[in-house]
Amino acid sequence: MGHVEILDAKTKDKLCFLDKVEPNATIGEIKSMFHKSHPQWYPARQSIRLDPKGKSLKDEDVLQHLPVGTTATFYFRDLGAQISWVTVFLTEYAGPLLIYLMFYFRVPFIYAPKYDFTTSKHWVVHLACMCHSFHYVKRLLETLFVHRFSHGTMPLRNIFKNCTYYWGFAAWMAYYINHPLYTPPIYGEQQIRLALIVFLFCQIGNFSIHIALRNLRPPGSKTRKIPYPTKNPFTWIFLLVSCPNYTYELGSWLGFTLMTQCLPVAAFTLVGFIQMTVWAKGKHRSYLKEFRDYPTLRSPILPFIL
Amino acid sequence: MASGEEDGTVEEKETNNKKRTKGTIATAWLTFYNIAMTAGWLVLAVAMVRYYLQKGTHKGLYRNIARTLKFFQTFALLEVGHCAIGIVRTSVIVTGVQVCSRIFMVWFVTNSIRQIQNEESVILFVVVWTITEITRYSFYTFNLLNHLPYFIKWARYNMFIVMYPLGVIGELLTIHASLPYVRRSGMYSLRLPNKYNVSFDYYYFLIIVMLSYIPCKNSTHNKTS
């Protein structure tokens, strides 16, 4: 039977003393106990560490396996208001879906009144709406049924930042694609057909990767394993790339850029590519650190290049 | 082993020497740079006073000093480089934003919209900038020479209280004055339809810039640098 004291990481004030804690108690359980004495700090916003400036301990860590004596001293940092990843994803993806449709149907006060509720005469505009909507419906369904998240929550301010990004870009793109003065692609049907093939190929690819990653992890667990190619040919790209979901995502948006020939779409693709490259490099580095036998042929996001 | 230890200390001395030389070169360059910039803005100040004394009016004053102003304000881009290579301990982004805001004002507003060059607001912000920059660059110079007169230190930390809002007013009034000319000429703008399916309206862009002065110019990192 041990004791646990929790101090504020900044002020070193004693915030909580828990006596008679089971040696096999987890950090998660200790967080719940701490929450009882400080109801404003629910477990998701607690960061518990051994060292005031150290890394956060995981919920699964067990008390007796930590380098502490009979009285364990932990330091607490408030992570701020938290919001669940699922909530953020659903909100940031529902926005573009609805916003694009508002521009597509030419809802009043966007374009000149004589265009209200009219439809574009270019068939590529209808195709683009279908592709864009399909993409975000796919993302919403994946959030609900496919993804297995490592973290339950993220800081609340992220939802404002993320929604501004997704909703803002969606409005900017949709405004021009659905504009009465829209100019269809220079190379016409050929360009649109190629773009559609690239887009669909990458959508299927991206979905295949999400399924493969889901199957790596049993339900409710947070285990991490090296992903490998499966029987699905779309996953064979794992031989060359650590984060093929991002590779396929880039491909989808390149397809959409080609299809719509719209500079704001190109800008969105570029910004997304930069962000995904940062994430891919981080993930690649974690894989290398965690697994001694990580395949050396793989690049983070672009085979052999990046 | 004895020889191994000797090699170790020789290497240490070499890297320390290299560091010291780099530090001396950096200090020498920065001292030269700050003296040159102080001199430049002083030249500007003198030119403005002379013009006003000779002509008795501010009309035509901007045209008279335009080349000097453009030269020294653009040269300040080097300061972003100083932060990037670490010889000045300030954030690259903070310096970048400040220099870009000045460059924008000089090149994309005052220089390109001739009709507003005789506005009083232009003289206002140019005078403010001149006083601020002379204070700032001489402060840096004296700091580098380890001899900071109290007057300069006082000026640096107190003048901005009056200078900063005056500068903001001058800049905002100037942008505002330029709006009708921008709208009429359609400059720097791209209309639909075009093959890139994008448009840009410099007129609305300037309005957004004016609105962004509220959050941007109020942020704490702007208040002394």
Side-chain angles (χ1 to χ4, degrees):
Chain A
M1 270 305 191
H3 307 288
V4 169
E5 64 167 5
I6 302 181
L7 311 177
D8 185 296
K10 270 186 253 176
T11 63
K12 313 289 192 298
D13 290 342
K14 219 183 269 203
L15 296 170
C16 178
F17 187 83
L18 305 162
D19 59 345
K20 299 220 192 58
V21 181
E22 298 272 347
N24 61 7
T26 60
I27 293 291
E29 287 162 2
I30 291 172
K31 282 185 183 176
S32 303
M33 289 188 255
F34 184 42
H35 175 43
K36 286 208 186 80
S37 61
H38 292 266
Q40 74 276 27
W41 289 326
Y42 41 88
R45 70 188 278 177
Q46 295 177 29
S47 167
I48 303 287
R49 316 91 183 264
L50 289 165
D51 188 78
K53 297 207 179 107
K55 262 178 56 180
S56 264
L57 294 169
K58 295 186 219 146
D59 281 4
E60 304 78 48
D61 289 339
V62 177
L63 184 59
Q64 65 186 6
H65 296 149
L66 294 168
V68 290
T70 12
T71 301
T73 304
F74 293 126
Y75 293 92
F76 160 78
R77 225 177 132 241
D78 182 13
L79 296 171
Q82 298 284 299
I83 185 166
S84 82
W85 272 62
V86 173
T87 309
V88 174
F89 272 37
L90 292 179
T91 320
E92 67 189 16
Y93 297 155
L97 182 64
L98 296 169
I99 290 171
Y100 193 102
L101 288 172
M102 280 172 48
F103 285 90
Y104 174 75
F105 288 115
R106 295 189 180 154
V107 149
F109 299 105
I110 301 176
Y111 306 111
K114 65 178 175 181
Y115 296 113
D116 289 350
F117 297 119
T118 56
T119 41
S120 172
K121 58 185 177 191
H122 306 290
W123 67 273
V124 67
V125 171
H126 308 300
L127 181 64
C129 182
M130 286 188 267
C131 290
H132 188 271
S133 305
F134 171 78
H135 179 78
Y136 281 101
V137 167
K138 169 180 160 294
R139 285 213 200 186
L140 285 164
L141 293 174
E142 283 172 341
T143 305
L144 290 168
F145 301 113
V146 177
H147 295 317
R148 293 211 165 106
F149 295 101
S150 301
H151 308 278
T153 67
M154 62 167 90
L156 182 64
R157 81 190 85 94
N158 278 12
I159 195 172
F160 302 108
K161 188 171 49 105
N162 292 10
C163 284
T164 306
Y165 173 77
Y166 277 103
W167 296 18
F169 259 116
W172 195 37
M173 290 193 273
Y175 175 77
Y176 289 108
I177 299 171
N178 299 295
H179 200 282
L181 295 178
Y182 170 76
T183 309
I186 307 183
Y187 297 108
E189 259 204 55
Q190 278 183 324
Q191 186 173 335
I192 300 167
R193 200 177 301 131
L194 172 64
L196 181 62
I197 293 170
V198 169
F199 177 80
L200 288 174
F201 183 89
C202 292
Q203 290 289 283
I204 299 171
N206 177 267
F207 181 69
S208 307
I209 302 300
H210 287 158
I211 293 292
L213 290 172
R214 168 197 172 81
N215 291 337
L216 281 184
R217 179 176 271 183
S221 83
K222 292 185 189 175
T223 48
R224 271 187 310 280
K225 301 213 293 259
I226 304 177
Y228 283 107
T230 67
K231 290 201 200 84
N232 182 344
F234 285 97
T235 65
W236 296 353
I237 191 177
F238 269 121
L239 292 167
L240 300 174
V241 161
S242 289
C243 302
N245 48 319
Y246 295 144
T247 319
Y248 281 121
E249 184 70 18
L250 171 66
S252 298
W253 285 104
L254 284 172
F256 193 67
T257 309
L258 192 66
M259 188 191 295
T260 56
Q261 200 174 287
C262 178
L263 199 65
V265 180
F268 180 66
T269 308
L270 178 65
V271 176
F273 174 56
I274 294 171
Q275 175 66 87
M276 289 191 291
T277 303
V278 169
W279 289 337
K281 285 188 171 229
K283 189 96 197 128
H284 184 76
R285 224 176 294 133
S286 319
Y287 278 144
L288 288 173
K289 241 205 272 183
E290 188 164 351
F291 303 110
R292 296 276 131 203
D293 54 339
Y294 194 73
T296 44
L297 190 59
R298 295 190 191 185
S299 309
I301 186 173
L302 294 179
F304 309 116
I305 309 173
L306 255 183
Chain B
M1 274 183 275
S3 57
E5 279 175 49
E6 274 169 23
D7 282 356
T9 45
V10 165
E11 270 168 30
E12 261 176 44
K13 275 204 187 124
E14 273 180 24
T15 35
N16 276 335
N17 272 330
K18 272 195 200 130
K19 276 188 205 160
R20 231 175 287 138
T21 335
K22 275 191 194 143
T24 333
I25 297 176
T27 313
W29 161 253
L30 284 173
T31 313
F32 164 74
Y33 174 79
N34 285 303
I35 292 177
M37 294 304 263
T38 312
W41 287 91
L42 271 168
V43 163
L44 204 59
V46 167
M48 289 198 288
V49 171
R50 279 183 61 190
Y51 185 94
Y52 191 76
L53 289 177
Q54 280 174 5
K55 308 274 178 151
T57 173
H58 68 273
K59 302 223 186 289
L61 190 150
Y62 177 80
R63 278 243 67 87
N64 189 270
I65 53 129
R67 273 206 357 227
T68 321
L69 173 67
K70 284 189 281 190
F71 179 80
F72 284 101
Q73 187 58 80
T74 312
F75 212 73
L77 278 169
L78 279 181
E79 287 166 50
V80 183
H82 295 164
C83 298
I85 60 176
I87 57 178
V88 170
R89 283 196 179 289
T90 315
S91 146
V92 176
I93 302 178
V94 171
T95 314
V97 168
Q98 286 169 346
V99 173
C100 281
S101 137
R102 288 287 187 89
I103 302 271
F104 173 74
M105 205 58 222
V106 169
W107 288 99
F108 293 98
V109 181
T110 323
N111 184 58
S112 41
I113 308 165
R114 302 187 118 224
Q115 299 94 325
I116 50 135
Q117 285 170 1
N118 283 323
E119 293 281 323
E120 287 80 2
S121 54
V122 172
I123 307 302
L124 175 58
F125 79 75
V126 174
V127 165
V128 164
W129 288 6
T130 309
I131 297 173
T132 311
E133 297 302 68
I134 294 174
T135 316
R136 183 164 76 94
Y137 287 117
S138 53
F139 175 84
Y140 292 150
T141 309
F142 285 118
N143 249 348
L144 287 160
L145 298 172
N146 285 313
H147 177 85
L148 184 62
Y150 180 72
F151 167 63
I152 302 289
K153 182 174 178 181
W154 181 91
R156 172 102 175 104
Y157 288 114
N158 289 285
M159 300 271 289
F160 85 92
I161 299 172
V162 165
M163 293 291 121
Y164 195 73
L166 282 180
V168 167
I169 292 170
E171 292 171 38
L172 279 177
L173 285 175
T174 306
I175 300 177
H176 183 261
S178 74
L179 291 177
Y181 303 107
V182 170
R183 182 158 227 186
R184 213 174 304 150
S185 68
M187 66 189 294
Y188 298 155
S189 301
L190 179 62
R191 295 246 127 84
L192 287 178
N194 63 71
K195 62 182 172 179
Y196 305 107
N197 288 308
V198 71
S199 63
F200 180 74
D201 195 331
Y202 194 51
Y203 175 79
Y204 290 111
F205 177 75
L206 284 178
I207 292 180
I208 294 173
V209 167
M210 285 177 68
L211 289 171
S212 73
Y213 265 60
I214 304 173
C216 294
K217 299 287 178 176
N218 261 319
S219 79
T220 40
H221 67 228
N222 261 314
K223 281 172 183 168
T224 26
S225 197

